[in-house]
Amino acid sequence: MTTSTQARPSVRKATRARSRTAKPSVGLGLRMRRHWQLYVMLALPLVWLAIFAYWPMYGVIIAFKDYNVVSGILGSPWVGMKHFDRFVESYQFWRLIRNTVGLHLYELVATFPLPIILALCLNTVRKKWFSRSAQLITYAPHFISTVVVVGLIVVLTNPSTGVANRIIGLFGLGPVDFMGDAGLFRHLYVWSGAWQTMGFAAIIYLAALTSVPPELHEAAIVDGASRLRRMWHIDLPAIVPVAVILLILNIGSILSVGFEKVLLMQNNLNLDAAEVIDTYVYKIGLASAVPQFSYATAIGLFRSVIGLVLLVVANAFARRFAKSSLW
């Protein structure tokens, strides 16, 4: 009791001292006038978001209407969940879900670890010229157009003149129509994507590795740790938060795959495995002889809602188990 009684005056004294030294709260208007340059810079991306990200959402309401051009968006009649029910009950539903989710999961499992491994290896290499040359060679494919990449795939896998079939012919095997085989479509799509994006994605992890203090490596070397152990116990934990965030974003887009590349690689022979939600929406909404705008919008909205739910769930799991999350 005596101790608490003696402590009270000192606490009150410290509180009065803090109140005297504390800066008075500044209103938002005054802060904006003082730092108007920062708010002008902030206004530019906000205007861009409002015009190109939020204003187009107005058109989403045609998913709940039988839209026709003459009546317009507001004049078209409401039909509730009719187009969503039609999509879920259609014979295409499970095939599209299977193709889209299967392709995205295959791509995620096969290609997600590759940039991490590449970044860890490049960070360990002591020869700077070799490290920089390897970075240049690996991230250069990222700047190649998707059309050119698909053109290269078609030329290399041509059944009569392609390099792939010439190599297969050396072993006495017959030509393989890679682009016409639905079973090979996923492999071509995923591994060509890995070649194109692995080096560029590794830049993010290399940037994260620069935050590792060199004293940790020096102390580990003194303790006799090998390069592999330093990579495992020092470098890898440093990039785990970045990897978790990228993984959450990938899971959130599980019903969305590379539309352009899938569409360019499609043909009548591999369509059973190559038809995904994005290409189906494009075909019925824009490429069809009778465009079905409301039905296509409903499918696109369905995909976005599922992606948002998966993103929230993945973020909650990451926050609980990996102690790292988007929010």
Side-chain angles (χ1 to χ4, degrees):
M1 177 64 74
T2 306
T3 305
S4 63
T5 307
Q6 292 173 347
R8 284 173 186 167
S10 61
V11 171
R12 288 195 292 269
K13 186 178 180 181
T15 304
R16 286 195 296 270
R18 282 198 299 271
S19 62
R20 284 196 299 270
T21 57
K23 295 181 180 179
S25 60
V26 180
L28 177 62
L30 183 58
R31 288 203 303 271
M32 291 181 70
R33 284 196 296 274
R34 286 179 179 177
H35 309 289
W36 63 271
Q37 298 93 340
L38 297 177
Y39 285 95
V40 168
M41 291 174 64
L42 178 63
L44 294 176
L46 289 179
V47 170
W48 184 92
L49 281 173
I51 295 175
F52 296 103
Y54 284 94
W55 174 248
M57 289 185 186
Y58 164 70
V60 169
I61 62 175
I62 69 172
F64 305 95
K65 292 189 168 192
D66 266 338
Y67 173 74
N68 62 77
V69 180
V70 177
S71 302
I73 294 177
L74 297 179
S76 300
W78 291 94
V79 295
M81 303 296 287
K82 169 188 168 183
H83 299 295
F84 296 92
D85 294 338
R86 177 186 168 192
F87 175 59
V88 174
E89 295 170 358
S90 71
Y91 73 96
Q92 296 272 20
F93 178 75
W94 288 113
R95 186 170 75 103
L96 293 173
I97 295 293
R98 185 186 68 239
N99 289 343
T100 307
V101 175
L103 191 61
H104 192 92
L105 287 180
Y106 182 17
E107 185 181 27
L108 186 64
V109 172
T111 63
F112 187 77
L114 294 180
I116 298 175
I117 297 171
L118 178 64
L120 291 174
C121 293
L122 291 176
N123 188 62
T124 309
V125 173
R126 292 183 177 178
K127 300 291 184 183
K128 292 297 180 185
W129 66 267
F130 179 81
S131 175
R132 290 171 181 171
S133 301
Q135 284 186 56
L136 177 63
I137 293 171
T138 52
Y139 74 63
H142 173 78
F143 300 99
I144 300 176
S145 167
T146 304
V147 177
V148 176
V149 171
V150 175
L152 288 173
I153 295 173
V154 172
V155 171
L156 294 175
T157 59
N158 188 285
S160 56
T161 59
V163 175
N165 275 299
R166 288 182 181 275
I167 295 174
I168 291 174
L170 296 177
F171 297 94
L173 302 176
V176 178
D177 186 6
F178 289 93
M179 295 298 291
D181 190 335
L184 296 176
F185 170 80
R186 292 191 180 94
H187 305 301
L188 286 174
Y189 176 84
V190 169
W191 293 111
S192 61
W195 167 75
Q196 191 178 10
T197 61
M198 178 177 63
F200 195 79
I203 294 175
I204 299 173
Y205 299 109
L206 285 171
L209 285 170
T210 58
S211 64
V212 177
E215 292 81 7
L216 291 178
H217 282 282
E218 293 170 0
I221 292 172
V222 171
D223 291 340
S226 64
R227 287 188 182 182
L228 191 60
R229 283 192 174 277
R230 283 186 281 133
M231 187 186 298
W232 182 261
H233 294 289
I234 298 176
D235 292 336
L236 189 59
I239 61 176
V240 164
V242 177
V244 169
I245 290 173
L246 294 179
L247 183 62
I248 293 171
L249 294 175
N250 269 303
I251 292 175
S253 59
I254 198 168
L255 290 183
S256 178
V257 293
F259 162 75
E260 294 178 354
K261 191 175 175 184
V262 173
L263 187 66
L264 291 169
M265 292 180 67
Q266 276 185 359
N267 57 52
N268 292 331
L269 298 176
N270 64 18
L271 197 59
D272 188 49
E275 190 74 285
V276 295
I277 291 178
D278 286 336
T279 56
Y280 184 67
V281 168
Y282 165 73
K283 289 176 182 176
I284 65 171
L286 296 174
S288 173
V290 183
Q292 304 175 60
F293 298 115
S294 295
Y295 187 44
T297 306
I299 298 172
L301 183 59
F302 170 84
R303 183 202 62 185
S304 300
V305 171
I306 297 296
L308 177 62
V309 172
L310 290 175
L311 180 65
V312 173
V313 172
N315 189 71
F317 270 95
R319 185 171 59 245
R320 182 176 179 83
F321 296 107
K323 308 301 180 187
S324 179
S325 60
L326 287 174
W327 64 84

